[in-house]
Amino acid sequence: MSELIPQTLGVETLSMREYAEKAYLDYSMYVILDRALPHIGDGLKPVQRRIVYAMSELGLKASAKYKKSARTVGDVIGKFHPHGDSAAYEAMVLMAQDFSYRYPLIDGQGNWGSPDDPKSFAAMRYTESRLTRYAEVLLGELGQGTTDWQPNFDGTLEEPVVLPAQVPNLLLNGTTGIAVGMATDIPPHNLREVVDAAIHLLESPKAKVDDLCAYVKGPDFPTEAEIITPVDEIKAMYTTGRGALKMRAAWRTEDGAIVIHALPYQVSGSKVLEQIAAQMQARKLPMVSDLRDESDHEHPTRFVIVPRSNRIELDGLMSHLFATTDLERSYRVNLNVIGIDGKPGVKSLDGILREWLAFRRDTVRRRLQYRLEKVLKRIHVLEGYLVAFLNIDEVIKIIREEDEPKTALMKRFKITDVQAEAILELKLRNLAKLEEMKIRGEQDELEEERKSLEKILGSESRLKTLIKRELKAIAESHGDDRRSPLVERAEARAFSELELTTADPLTIVLSEKGWIRAAKGHDIDPSTLSYKSGDGFKLAARGRSNLPTVVFDSTGRAYSLQSHQLPSARGQGEPLTGRINPPSGATFEALLTGGESDRYLLASDAGYGFVARFSDLQAKNKAGKAVLSLPKGAQVLQPASIGEGGELLVAAVTNEGRMLVFPLADLPELARGKGNKIIGIPSARAASREELMVGFAVVSADDTLRITAGKQHKNFKISELVNYRGERGRRGNKLPKGYQKVTSIEVLLKE
C-alpha cells in the first residue's frame, strides 16, 4: 500500500542530499545574480537598478520637485523588489551620500547621514529625494529599444534587465557585496580617466593594462585623502582583478601644529579622535599636548594635534598615528562582476572595459536600429499622407460613401494597411493645403536621418566614432578633477615603547646580592637607600628613563634592561635573575646606561681592554651576549664612559701603586673580545693574581683625576700626569708614598 501512496498522491520522492544540494545551489545563484553582484553593463545591483528605475517612472528627474522617500520605497518594494523596506531605503541612502558614492545617483533633501556616522540618516518619512543629473546617463536611452525587459516578481509589470549606461558606471561608483562563496569590492574611479581609457581601448583594441594605466592612474574616492599604494601594486591589482589599497589622511602644519583635513574613505572622524585621545590618556603620546576638533560647515574635517614642543618631529608622530589609528586604512579590491554573458567572474581592468565597450556598442546599435525603424515607419506614413493630400477630394468622397473606406483606399491608391489607417485617423484641421509642404519638409529631414543612420549601422568605424563622441560629451558635462591624490609614502611605523617613554633622569642602583632598582633624579645617594639584611650598595649609574641599561656579569656577558621598566627605588628592588638568565654562579660586576652612540672603555683586572659602542653591548635575549673575553681568573671592572673633546687619555692603576697614562686612540674599537694590553703586569704576578689593575679612567684636558687610597685621596690636573705618560702596555710609574694601595680612580665632575 505504501508503494502506491506516492503514485496516488503525485508525490515525488527525493533524497535529502539531492534536495539540499539543489536548494542551496538555487539559493546561492539567486544571491549571486539577483542580490550581491553588480552587472558590468550599468554597474548596479538589482535593488539599486530597481530604485533608479522606479524613481524615473515616478517622474523624479533632476528638474522635478522632491518627493518623500517613503513613496519611492513603497513603489520599489511593491512593484519590483519584494523585500524589506529598510533594506531598500538603506540602498537608496547609499546612492545619495556624496561621501559614499563618487557620482551620487540620488539627490536627497533632509538628513541623509554624515561621513562621521553614515547610518545616522533620518527615517524615510522625513527625507525627500529625486534623481541627480548624473542618473540621466543611466536612464537617458531607456525607452529607445536599448535593453531587454523582464516581468516583475508577480508578472504584472515589466522592468529593465539592465540599464543602458552611457559610461562604465561599474568603475565610476564601485560597489561592495557578499554573495555565497564569492564577494565583490570595486573601488570608485574618476569619470574623465575611465572615459579616456575606454576611448583608448576603442581606438587600440589590443591595449593592455599597462597602456590603460596611463589614463586610469588608480581609484578615485570621494575624499581628498591620499592613496599611498605603489604604482606597481596598483597595476598588479588591475591585471589580476584582486589586490589591496592603502589610504592615508591628508595633513598640513599650521603654526607648529598638525591639521588633519581629509580622512580615508568611510573613516569616522569621531572614532579617530577617540583612538588618539585613548593613547593620550594611556600616556602613549607624551609628545602631544592637545587634541582639538575644529570641524565645521566650512571645514567638514579639521582635527588639530598640538605637539608638546617645537622639537617634536611631526613626520615621525604622524607615522605613529598612521600605524596605530584609522588615519591609515587598507581596502580590499576584488573586481568580481556579472559579465555580459550573465556569469560572475573576477576581471582585469582591460577585461572590464572591453566587455563594457561590447555592451555599449550593442546598446548604441540597438538604439540606432530602433530609431531607424521609427524613421522608416514615419516615412511610410508620410508617403500615405502625401497620396491623400494629392487626391484629397477623392479620399473624402471614399470616406463619406464607402462602407469600408479603409479597404477602398488601399485598393484605389495601392497603399498599405498602416498608411490607410493613418489617413483615416487624420483630423479635419490637418487637411489644410499648408500641410503638404510640412509633409514634404519632414520627409526630407527623415530621409537625411535615415541615410545617416544606415551609414553608421553599416560602418564599424562610424559606430566607434559616434561612441567616442558621446563618451567625450558625457565626460565634459559630468566629469571632474581627481579628488584622491596618488602619492608614494614610506611605510607607517609605530613608536616603540621606549620611544614613547619620557626622558626623565634616573639613577640605576645595583646591590651586592644582584638586586636592581631605579630612583628618579640624579641627586640620589645610593648608599643611603635601604637594603635587605646581609645586602648592601654595589654599583650605580646615572641615566634617563628612555635609555637602556646594560649589566655585565663575572663571565664578561652583557645583558640589556629597559630602564623605565625597572622597579622603583621606594622599595628594595627585584633580583636581576628574575629578568635575565646568567650562567650558574655568575655575579654582577658592572653597570652602565647610555645612548646608542655612546662609547665606553671595557677592561678586565688582568690589564686588557678595548673601546666599545653602547649599541654593541645590548642583547636581544635574556641569556645576554658575550662581550668581554677574560683571561683565566680575571674579573670584570666597571667600564669608563668616554666623553667628547680633544685628546682623550687613559689613566690606569694597579694595586701595587703603579699608574700609566696614554692616548685613548691607542686602544682599538671592538664589538667584543679580550682587547689590547692597557698596563703591563708581569705574567707570573698576573697568573698568581698578586698584581692586578684595580681601576682606570678616561680623562680630557679640562678634567681632574682623583686617586683614592683608603681614607685619603689625591687630585691630579692633567698637566701633573706628565711623569706617568708612556706607551700603552708599559709598567707605568709609582704613585707617591701613601697612595700605593689604590682603592679607586675617578674623574671629578665639573661644577
Side-chain angles (χ1 to χ4, degrees):
M1 183 68 180
S2 60
E3 293 177 358
L4 296 175
I5 290 176
Q7 225 174 4
T8 306
L9 301 179
V11 177
E12 180 186 356
T13 58
L14 196 67
S15 73
M16 183 63 75
R17 177 177 177 177
E18 289 177 322
Y19 172 77
E21 283 181 358
K22 184 177 183 305
Y24 190 73
L25 182 62
D26 290 345
Y27 167 73
S28 64
M29 291 307 295
Y30 163 73
V31 173
I32 291 168
L33 300 177
D34 291 330
R35 189 186 296 180
L37 298 190
H39 192 281
I40 201 166
D42 56 13
L44 300 176
K45 300 177 186 178
V47 64
Q48 296 169 328
R49 187 179 303 115
R50 286 162 178 164
I51 290 169
V52 172
Y53 175 65
M55 291 183 75
S56 72
E57 287 294 284
L58 285 169
L60 295 177
K61 296 187 177 180
S63 56
K65 288 184 178 180
Y66 291 98
K67 188 166 284 188
K68 284 288 184 183
S69 301
R71 171 66 194 279
T72 300
V73 172
D75 265 33
V76 171
I77 65 176
K79 293 180 178 179
F80 307 111
H81 198 72
H83 294 272
D85 57 349
S86 60
Y89 184 49
E90 284 190 25
M92 186 176 170
V93 167
L94 192 68
M95 292 190 287
Q97 293 176 336
D98 57 5
F99 51 86
S100 294
Y101 258 45
R102 184 65 178 82
Y103 300 96
L105 296 170
I106 294 173
D107 177 13
Q109 188 168 258
N111 176 15
W112 289 81
S114 66
D116 199 48
D117 185 6
K119 298 282 188 181
S120 62
F121 51 84
M124 69 181 87
R125 61 183 178 275
Y126 299 120
T127 61
E128 296 179 336
S129 57
R130 64 185 179 189
L131 293 170
T132 59
R133 282 182 62 248
Y134 174 77
E136 189 64 22
V137 173
L138 303 179
L139 296 163
E141 300 174 353
L142 190 59
Q144 301 176 28
T146 51
T147 186
D148 294 327
W149 295 77
Q150 63 187 7
N152 69 337
F153 64 91
D154 61 3
T156 58
L157 296 168
E158 285 200 326
E159 60 176 325
V161 174
V162 61
L163 298 181
Q166 299 172 56
V167 287
N169 184 62
L170 174 74
L171 291 173
L172 301 184
N173 276 319
T175 190
T176 61
I178 300 174
V180 176
M182 60 178 67
T184 184
D185 291 279
I186 304 172
H189 291 76
N190 184 272
L191 192 151
R192 289 177 182 168
E193 292 181 5
V194 171
V195 165
D196 287 344
I199 290 173
H200 178 74
L201 191 60
L202 203 57
E203 294 171 340
S204 307
K206 293 183 179 179
K208 300 297 183 185
V209 170
D210 282 354
D211 304 318
L212 299 179
C213 283
Y215 302 95
V216 181
K217 310 292 185 184
D220 186 23
F221 294 88
T223 170
E224 293 173 5
E226 300 173 345
I227 297 173
I228 62 168
T229 306
V231 174
D232 291 344
E233 290 184 25
I234 292 177
K235 286 184 178 179
M237 174 191 79
Y238 283 141
T239 302
T240 63
R242 289 191 174 94
L245 287 169
K246 274 188 182 178
M247 286 198 85
R248 185 176 285 184
W251 63 283
R252 59 177 178 265
T253 56
E254 289 182 12
D255 301 325
I258 295 168
V259 176
I260 299 168
H261 58 86
L263 295 174
Y265 181 55
Q266 292 182 332
V267 165
S268 165
S270 60
K271 185 177 179 182
V272 168
L273 290 171
E274 286 175 12
Q275 291 171 334
I276 298 174
Q279 290 192 41
M280 291 174 68
Q281 290 172 358
R283 298 184 179 180
K284 291 184 177 179
L285 279 178
M287 65 289 294
V288 174
S289 64
D290 192 19
L291 173 66
R292 299 194 301 270
D293 181 4
E294 296 183 357
S295 306
D296 54 26
H297 184 71
E298 189 177 348
H299 304 97
T301 301
R302 183 180 168 86
F303 302 150
V304 181
I305 300 172
V306 182
R308 195 166 292 279
S309 75
N310 57 11
R311 295 190 303 274
I312 301 297
E313 187 189 356
L314 300 186
D315 287 328
L317 172 57
M318 286 305 297
S319 180
H320 169 78
L321 292 176
F322 290 141
T324 57
T325 70
D326 284 347
L327 288 175
E328 180 177 305
R329 177 178 279 189
S330 293
Y331 302 87
R332 187 178 64 175
V333 175
N334 185 16
L335 307 181
N336 191 6
V337 298
I338 298 172
I340 53 178
D341 59 357
K343 297 177 182 178
V346 178
K347 304 181 187 295
S348 61
L349 175 63
D350 60 326
I352 288 174
L353 288 177
R354 273 197 182 86
E355 279 202 45
W356 183 82
L357 285 171
F359 165 81
R360 181 63 186 155
R361 194 180 284 111
D362 180 60
T363 301
V364 173
R365 192 180 291 279
R366 290 177 67 166
R367 186 190 81 205
L368 296 175
Q369 190 65 48
Y370 178 83
R371 178 59 186 164
L372 180 60
E373 289 172 4
K374 289 280 187 184
V375 167
L376 291 173
K377 186 176 180 181
R378 181 63 179 168
I379 289 173
H380 184 63
V381 170
L382 289 175
E383 287 172 351
Y385 283 167
L386 202 55
V387 168
F389 279 110
L390 293 174
N391 303 277
I392 189 69
D393 295 332
E394 191 175 354
V395 168
I396 292 172
K397 184 179 179 182
I398 291 172
I399 294 171
R400 291 182 63 186
E401 296 177 356
E402 293 290 337
D403 292 335
E404 293 186 7
K406 182 177 178 181
T407 306
L409 287 170
M410 292 170 64
K411 184 177 180 181
R412 169 65 184 84
F413 299 111
K414 302 293 188 289
I415 59 177
T416 64
D417 183 272
V418 173
Q419 290 171 323
E421 187 68 37
I423 291 169
L424 291 171
E425 288 180 358
L426 271 172
K427 295 180 180 178
L428 288 174
R429 65 184 178 192
N430 292 333
L431 298 177
K433 185 68 177 174
L434 188 63
E435 290 301 317
E436 182 183 345
M437 296 173 63
K438 288 183 179 179
I439 289 169
R440 291 190 183 278
E442 188 179 349
Q443 264 187 325
D444 293 341
E445 289 177 6
L446 291 175
E447 278 296 330
E448 285 294 322
E449 187 178 354
R450 178 186 65 78
K451 290 176 183 176
S452 174
L453 290 169
E454 287 177 344
K455 281 182 181 178
I456 296 172
L457 286 168
S459 169
E460 192 65 29
S461 62
R462 289 177 188 269
L463 186 64
K464 282 184 181 180
T465 303
L466 176 63
I467 293 171
K468 282 191 287 186
R469 189 167 64 245
E470 290 177 348
L471 282 171
K472 287 178 180 177
I474 291 169
E476 186 67 30
S477 59
H478 296 285
D480 56 3
D481 294 332
R482 167 174 280 278
R483 291 189 62 184
S484 303
L486 288 143
V487 187
E488 289 203 21
R489 302 286 189 191
E491 190 171 347
R493 186 184 72 85
F495 288 136
S496 65
E497 188 179 356
L498 191 61
E499 289 173 309
L500 291 171
T501 305
T502 54
D504 300 323
L506 284 182
T507 301
I508 317 299
V509 180
L510 182 65
S511 75
E512 293 173 352
K513 300 289 187 182
W515 285 58
I516 196 166
R517 50 187 151 168
K520 289 185 178 180
H522 287 165
D523 54 351
I524 304 295
D525 183 358
S527 62
T528 62
L529 297 175
S530 65
Y531 295 88
K532 287 185 174 292
S533 177
D535 199 1
F537 168 69
K538 183 173 186 178
L539 296 168
R542 292 189 177 96
R544 295 196 172 272
S545 55
N546 63 336
L547 298 177
T549 295
V550 169
V551 179
F552 278 87
D553 69 11
S554 54
T555 69
R557 296 185 74 81
Y559 307 86
S560 295
L561 301 166
Q562 297 300 330
S563 301
H564 68 280
Q565 294 179 346
L566 294 176
S568 170
R570 293 176 197 168
Q572 293 176 330
E574 294 178 3
L576 266 174
T577 50
R579 293 174 178 258
I580 58 178
N581 298 326
S584 177
T587 57
F588 300 107
E589 302 297 333
L591 177 72
L592 58 152
T593 181
E596 297 288 309
S597 60
D598 289 351
R599 297 191 304 157
Y600 287 86
L601 176 55
L602 309 184
S604 65
D605 63 3
Y608 290 87
F610 60 91
V611 175
R613 289 194 175 273
F614 190 76
S615 57
D616 291 330
L617 306 180
Q618 296 178 55
K620 295 181 180 179
N621 51 52
K622 289 186 175 184
K625 63 189 293 188
V627 175
L628 185 61
S629 300
L630 300 174
K632 187 176 181 181
Q635 293 184 359
V636 177
L637 296 179
Q638 174 67 19
S641 176
I642 299 173
E644 300 294 331
E647 184 187 20
L648 297 175
L649 302 173
V650 177
V653 295
T654 68
N655 59 348
E656 294 293 332
R658 289 185 174 275
M659 182 164 73
L660 175 67
V661 178
F662 63 90
L664 175 69
D666 292 351
L667 285 174
E669 184 172 316
L670 305 172
R672 62 177 63 85
K674 175 182 174 182
N676 290 5
K677 185 179 285 189
I678 294 175
I679 189 168
I681 300 174
S683 55
R685 293 178 65 81
S688 63
R689 296 188 60 77
E690 291 180 39
E691 188 175 353
L692 308 169
M693 184 171 74
V694 293
F696 58 93
V698 178
V699 292
S700 63
D702 299 329
D703 290 334
T704 300
L705 188 68
R706 170 172 288 182
I707 303 293
T708 303
K711 293 183 179 181
Q712 58 184 1
H713 62 265
K714 182 174 178 61
N715 295 341
F716 292 88
K717 295 290 185 183
I718 299 305
S719 58
E720 298 171 351
L721 297 177
V722 176
N723 295 333
Y724 302 96
R725 295 285 293 262
E727 294 181 3
R728 178 187 60 79
R730 297 294 185 180
R731 286 282 287 149
N733 292 331
K734 282 274 190 178
L735 288 164
K737 277 190 176 182
Y739 293 95
Q740 293 180 4
K741 297 293 182 183
V742 179
T743 53
S744 71
I745 176 172
E746 60 184 321
V747 179
L748 295 182
L749 295 174
K750 298 182 182 74
E751 294 295 332

